[in-house]
Amino acid sequence: MNMEIVQQHNGKINIILHDQQKEQQCKETTQKQHHEQLHYIDDQFAAFIGLDHVKEIMREIYALKLMNAQRDEYGMRKNKQVLHMMFMGNPGTGKTTIARQLATVLYELNILSKGHFIEAERADIVGEYIGQTAQKTRTLIQKAQGGVLFIDEAYSLGRGGHKDFGREAIDTIVKQMEDYHEDFLLILAGYPGEMEQFLHLNPGLRSRFAYHVSFSDYNLAELMRITKQLITERDYELTDAAEREIRVHIQEVLYHKPLHFSNARYVRNIIEKAIRKQAMRLLSTYDVTPKDLKQITRADISLE
Ligand SMILES: Nc1ncnc2c1ncn2[C@@H]1O[C@H](COP(=O)(O)OP(=O)(O)OP(=O)(O)O)[C@@H](O)[C@H]1O
Ligand SMILES: [Mg+2]
């Protein structure tokens, strides 16, 4: 056996494991921790319908971090781990929600040291006189170190043409992204067409993002899953008739494909409206039961 039993002066028994065995145990523990971390990633994104590619990106970031640490132990060169991401997707496809979640998860995985989330838009970045924009942008990036800086509707920075200070902001961001790529995640988000145009404003912009993440529009099945999830989360349930009503309505809306359909936000609004309507209905009901409180009926669903 690869183990030694030694009795100490005080009578205590000490078991000494030989190196090989210790190393094996160490490897097993590390392996177990890695599995736990991967499960943790899956769990954190489990509530999001679709979006498997986001999960995959997280696993990739985690894998690279681990391999870098191991290469470092063997004195090998570490890979540069750039986190910066570009999110492209229509309204209500989950860009902001996922960005917030990334801050938490990357912090838990020890990839970001603080995990705070700063959301900014054009007005927070673009100044009113020469030099102010660069300063504002740098300050914001400094504040976001160790966490996530989420710039929504990023294309609005390039909106004002050549004389606009938005360009100054973009140039500053490009420079800063290069200098701060570890322990800092910059996410630029916006609608697909506009973000494509935006990428043309500065030739260095596209290649500085390690991940270009597309958030697709949800189909009927996904929107119905999101509906049920939102209902369950809030401790309600839909009667069959209510569910059918919503399904038929969404099917119709998707068929006509409105220009700015707001995806998951659209169904969230339907649910929130139904909850308010149910409350009003129950107000005039004598002796409200727990079942009444829970059920959203067809009468509660108001659709436009
Ligand atoms: N995959 C999903 N699963 C469950 N809920 C989702 C999903 N995607 C979005 N939602 C919900 O839809 C709502 C809108 O999402 P969010 O605000 O993140 O969208 P967005 O892409 O940032 O939209 P916008 O471009 O209009 O800012 C949120 O309440 C979010 O919880
Ligand atoms: Mg958003």
Side-chain angles (χ1 to χ4, degrees):
M1 200 189 269
N2 241 345
M3 156 171 94
E4 231 178 278
I5 299 178
V6 179
Q7 184 154 23
Q8 291 180 333
H9 298 305
N10 58 9
K12 277 190 182 165
I13 301 285
N14 237 4
I15 300 173
I16 299 173
L17 297 173
H18 282 296
D19 276 357
Q20 229 181 342
Q21 218 172 341
K22 260 195 219 163
E23 203 174 305
Q24 182 62 23
Q25 272 193 349
C26 236
K27 274 189 180 157
E28 279 167 15
T29 316
T30 319
Q31 202 74 28
K32 197 168 155 244
Q33 279 167 352
H34 295 172
H35 281 301
E36 279 169 8
Q37 301 281 47
L38 291 177
H39 276 307
Y40 169 76
I41 295 176
D42 288 348
D43 285 350
Q44 293 307 302
F45 291 97
F48 296 101
I49 314 293
L51 303 176
D52 287 343
H53 52 307
V54 176
K55 241 185 263 176
E56 209 42 49
I57 288 173
M58 289 307 290
R59 286 168 160 260
E60 204 181 294
I61 290 174
Y62 179 63
L64 187 62
K65 185 206 151 188
L66 280 182
M67 293 315 127
N68 263 342
Q70 292 191 13
R71 287 172 67 90
D72 201 30
E73 269 180 33
Y74 290 109
M76 296 162 95
R77 275 183 67 169
K78 284 205 291 179
N79 293 292
K80 188 170 155 184
Q81 182 154 30
V82 181
L83 298 173
H84 304 318
M85 300 180 188
M86 184 147 254
F87 281 7
M88 283 171 273
N90 283 327
T93 46
K95 301 181 295 295
T96 306
T97 316
I98 286 288
R100 282 183 185 281
Q101 186 74 346
L102 284 182
T104 311
V105 174
L106 288 171
Y107 171 70
E108 291 297 331
L109 293 176
N110 252 329
I111 292 170
L112 290 176
S113 61
K114 293 188 191 150
H116 58 309
F117 181 84
I118 300 180
E119 189 168 355
E121 52 185 52
R122 189 186 149 92
D124 305 307
I125 299 167
V126 177
E128 272 142 32
Y129 50 85
I130 292 175
Q132 194 194 18
T133 301
Q135 189 50 46
K136 267 180 132 178
T137 312
R138 279 196 295 264
T139 308
L140 204 57
I141 291 176
Q142 279 304 326
K143 264 198 214 157
Q145 291 305 304
V148 173
L149 175 60
F150 181 77
I151 304 182
D152 211 0
E153 299 189 26
Y155 47 79
S156 66
L157 293 175
R159 201 174 49 196
H162 282 287
K163 285 194 184 138
D164 186 81
F165 294 134
R167 300 291 178 103
E168 192 181 332
I170 300 169
D171 296 342
T172 313
I173 289 170
V174 168
K175 266 196 228 115
Q176 300 265 301
M177 283 173 82
E178 194 71 13
D179 296 343
Y180 303 103
H181 60 269
E182 266 180 37
D183 200 15
F184 167 53
L185 163 58
L186 172 76
I187 303 177
L188 297 194
Y191 305 145
E194 281 123 330
M195 288 307 273
E196 243 341 288
Q197 283 178 2
F198 173 70
L199 282 173
H200 292 295
L201 289 178
N202 182 311
L205 210 46
R206 191 187 295 269
S207 60
R208 277 181 173 75
F209 291 93
Y211 303 95
H212 291 246
V213 191
S214 286
F215 289 71
S216 318
D217 287 341
Y218 295 114
N219 60 30
L220 177 64
E222 287 167 332
L223 288 171
M224 285 315 290
R225 278 175 65 200
I226 292 174
T227 304
K228 283 185 213 158
Q229 187 177 296
L230 293 175
I231 281 282
T232 319
E233 267 171 22
R234 288 162 172 73
D235 208 3
Y236 283 88
E237 63 188 25
L238 287 173
T239 61
D240 289 345
E243 188 183 322
R244 237 185 345 264
E245 181 87 356
I246 296 177
R247 178 185 293 276
V248 169
H249 173 74
I250 293 178
Q251 195 166 19
E252 205 165 297
V253 171
L254 289 183
Y255 179 77
H256 294 289
K257 274 210 180 356
L259 197 57
H260 295 295
F261 177 59
S262 57
N263 286 280
R265 187 175 299 114
Y266 187 82
V267 295
R268 194 185 73 192
N269 288 342
I270 292 180
I271 301 304
E272 287 175 354
K273 216 190 283 174
I275 289 174
R276 292 195 295 270
K277 210 157 168 211
Q278 185 235 39
M280 282 303 289
R281 173 170 61 81
L282 295 180
L283 202 59
S284 51
T285 310
Y286 179 72
D287 199 14
V288 179
T289 66
K291 191 178 172 200
D292 292 331
L293 286 169
K294 207 168 170 85
Q295 262 189 354
I296 299 287
T297 69
R298 191 175 166 192
D300 304 324
I301 311 288
S302 54
L303 305 163
E304 278 133 36

